[in-house]
Amino acid sequence: MKLSLRVTIALILALTAYRIVMLHFDGTDLFVDEAQYWQWSQHLDFGYYSKPPMIAWVIHLFTTLGGSSDIFWIRLASPLLHMATALILIPATARLTGSKEVANWTAISYATLPGVALSSVFMSTDTVLFPCLAITLYAYSHLIERRAAGFAVLVGVAIGFGTLAKYAMLYFVATAAIAAIFIPRTRIALRDCLFAAIATLLVIFPNIWWNATHGGATLKHTSENADWHGLNFKLGKALEFFSSQFGVVGPVLFAAMIVVFVRLVRGRAQPTEKHLFILSWPIVLAIVFQALMSRAYANWAATAYAAGTMLAVFYLFTHSPRWLRASLVINTLAALLFPLMTVLAQDVRLPNGKPVLARYLGRAELSRQIGETATRVGAATIVADNRDILADLFHTLRNEPYTVLARTQGGFPRNYYEQTFPLTSAKGDDLVLYVTAAGVLSCHGVTLDPVADLSPRDGYLAGRRLHAFALPASCLTNLIG
């Protein structure tokens, strides 16, 4: 089943070009996380409220190169970084599996994964992490064969920058350690482990320092995301997460990973399968356990699927080439469909009439309505208590003369905007426009009626009540009854 290196690279480049062209015609708004990442990119730092800093640095680079903060430039890094990951996986896979053909199939399979297809049209921390993970796997493939200080430093630097993209990068360290315990040939020289550890610590130290000086904000948010409250057994949540992985990786590839799992249990797995199993499945199982205890989003096991794709492709190439071809056809259809859906975002709807991509629609329009209302009532400051609204206000109204602030509830900030842009008593009795779900407010004993009904008819907040109030800032910094 021939797939040459030249054809593989050509297909990856063509798919990337298609994604970039579709991005130019993208009709969606920035999701709340994307808008927040862009806001971070305007204030470069070594850490932020909910994530480490790498994604902000990448967005800053691309928006600076493009001279624009338009959505195209904010998201452009996504298809390019996934392209880079696919290309780096070629030599990494060739070394870990011993097969150049498996390497080629792995690269194109990765590029067409449904999860990759989706994250190629939006901007996420996983996108930034994956090139670092691919580089780590490539350097790791050298270190398990011989001592090499250069590759040890490369592993450490790649892990470090991957960690600055998303702390989930550290899963690799755990899986590599497990592999070293059970597969002697995968053990790395102690000296090289030390070099890698030092390099990693040097790269991530600024983020460690930032957390130490900001109340451990990112670490606190990460632990809160886990949301553990004792031992729970939410079997439904665990099954939901596990089932979602068929959509993340593709039905054939994830089924192949499960088959290898069964082969390992029965003692039939090949040495290469055992190695790649350990580099991937423990991450999936850890997130299944997380879902069992609380909850887990479909992408939380994403770091499993660099090695996981290698594992599935290696098995299918060896035992069932027909299904490998079928997998590529199925996933390629998804890879072509997702960018097209963003172009036709308003037209692709569910049977109930709701847009499939509703969570990416209506955000900018709402922000513009809020800005127009602020102008009408003469308020130079806009205050909101909803993170989604705040995030888009900053981006959509970035060239408008408004100050955007977050109303806090006291205590530890609930989000980045409360941490960085809180409404304080310094605003005194200045007139502000307050956007909230409340229908009626009272201030200093006086009942206030909304100056505008902003309840969206479509998009991510469709059907929810939303009102704007013009009132003195002191009403919000003291007490609203």
Side-chain angles (χ1 to χ4, degrees):
M1 195 166 58
K2 292 289 186 179
L3 180 63
S4 70
L5 177 61
R6 180 176 298 179
V7 171
T8 300
I9 293 175
L11 290 174
I12 293 170
L13 294 179
L15 181 58
T16 303
Y18 169 75
R19 286 168 171 165
I20 292 174
V21 171
M22 291 295 102
L23 179 58
H24 178 74
F25 297 101
D26 194 318
T28 62
D29 297 330
L30 291 178
F31 186 57
V32 55
D33 293 336
E34 295 178 290
Q36 179 174 272
Y37 301 151
W38 169 81
Q39 179 67 17
W40 293 350
S41 77
Q42 305 303 296
H43 306 85
L44 294 182
D45 209 335
F46 289 117
Y48 298 96
Y49 177 86
S50 59
K51 295 288 190 298
M54 181 70 86
I55 192 166
W57 299 352
V58 171
I59 292 174
H60 180 84
L61 173 63
F62 277 80
T63 53
T64 299
L65 290 174
S68 170
S69 286
D70 288 345
I71 292 177
F72 176 84
W73 292 101
I74 292 173
R75 291 175 172 168
L76 179 58
S78 290
L80 295 176
L81 290 173
H82 279 304
M83 177 191 72
T85 301
L87 295 175
I88 297 167
L89 284 176
I90 296 174
T93 305
R95 293 190 59 83
L96 288 170
T97 66
S99 171
K100 292 182 179 179
E101 289 190 73
V102 170
N104 295 337
W105 278 97
T106 296
I108 192 61
S109 294
Y110 169 84
T112 56
L113 293 179
V116 169
L118 183 61
S119 64
S120 290
V121 296
F122 304 116
M123 192 63 184
S124 73
T125 51
D126 289 326
T127 304
V128 182
L129 176 150
F130 265 106
C132 300
L133 180 56
I135 293 171
T136 300
L137 287 167
Y138 172 70
Y140 167 80
S141 72
H142 283 271
L143 292 177
I144 60 177
E145 293 182 355
R146 60 185 176 88
R147 291 158 59 99
F151 283 113
V153 172
L154 180 58
V155 161
V157 170
I159 291 174
F161 280 107
T163 304
L164 291 181
K166 191 174 183 178
Y167 294 148
M169 179 70 201
L170 295 175
Y171 283 135
F172 172 80
V173 179
T175 59
I178 296 171
I181 293 171
F182 292 100
I183 307 176
R185 68 178 179 83
T186 68
R187 292 171 184 168
I188 299 174
L190 184 60
R191 183 206 67 174
D192 289 346
C193 289
L194 182 61
F195 285 165
I198 292 172
T200 298
L201 288 173
L202 287 175
V203 172
I204 68 174
F205 178 78
N207 182 247
I208 295 174
W209 171 83
W210 184 91
N211 270 285
T213 56
H214 288 78
T218 314
L219 298 174
K220 180 178 175 64
H221 178 269
T222 302
S223 65
E224 287 177 348
N225 257 355
D227 195 29
W228 281 27
H229 300 287
L231 289 176
N232 300 299
F233 293 97
K234 299 181 179 180
L235 186 58
K237 291 290 186 181
L239 290 174
E240 179 183 345
F241 167 78
F242 190 80
S243 300
S244 72
Q245 301 311 288
F246 285 97
V248 172
V249 188
V252 178
L253 292 182
F254 193 61
M257 289 181 63
I258 294 173
V259 170
V260 175
F261 195 143
V262 174
R263 283 168 56 83
L264 185 71
V265 172
R266 293 180 175 179
R268 298 177 181 177
Q270 300 177 22
T272 297
E273 292 174 349
K274 293 177 182 178
H275 188 195
L276 295 175
F277 175 94
I278 292 175
L279 293 179
S280 56
W281 264 108
I283 301 172
V284 179
L285 295 176
I287 305 303
V288 168
F289 184 75
Q290 159 64 30
L292 191 65
M293 292 296 100
S294 175
R295 64 188 172 110
Y297 294 117
N299 71 313
W300 281 12
T303 48
Y305 298 125
T309 303
M310 294 182 193
L311 174 63
V313 171
F314 179 82
Y315 171 78
L316 292 172
F317 184 87
T318 305
H319 297 91
S320 187
R322 180 180 301 178
W323 280 106
L324 180 55
R325 289 192 295 267
S327 171
L328 183 59
V329 171
I330 294 170
N331 286 2
T332 297
L333 289 175
L336 296 175
L337 179 62
F338 281 132
L340 185 60
M341 287 176 61
T342 65
V343 176
L344 304 174
Q346 292 285 358
D347 301 316
V348 182
R349 295 178 177 261
L350 298 169
N352 63 5
K354 183 178 180 180
V356 173
L357 297 178
R359 69 191 306 219
Y360 301 97
L361 298 174
R363 296 172 183 271
E365 177 59 27
L366 176 60
S367 293
R368 285 189 285 268
Q369 290 180 16
I370 292 172
E372 291 168 1
T373 303
T375 298
R376 176 167 59 82
V377 301
T381 299
I382 299 172
V383 181
D385 51 20
N386 181 295
R387 173 174 167 261
D388 285 69
I389 294 173
L390 287 163
D392 199 86
L393 283 171
F394 273 101
H395 181 258
T396 300
L397 303 184
R398 62 190 180 279
N399 296 320
E400 303 297 330
Y402 305 113
T403 298
V404 179
L405 299 174
R407 182 172 183 244
T408 66
Q409 302 296 320
F412 192 84
R414 296 174 300 171
N415 56 57
Y416 165 73
Y417 302 98
E418 290 191 6
Q419 179 192 55
T420 311
F421 303 102
L423 174 68
T424 66
S425 57
K427 280 292 179 181
D429 289 323
D430 290 354
L431 182 69
V432 302
L433 185 77
Y434 178 44
V435 180
T436 180
V440 178
L441 299 179
S442 64
C443 175
H444 307 312
V446 178
T447 299
L448 302 175
D449 293 321
V451 296
D453 183 346
L454 299 172
S455 304
R457 296 180 179 178
D458 208 349
Y460 81 111
L461 283 179
R464 293 179 58 180
R465 306 299 296 174
L466 198 64
H467 298 96
F469 295 84
L471 71 173
S474 60
C475 293
L476 300 176
T477 53
N478 292 318
L479 175 66
I480 291 182

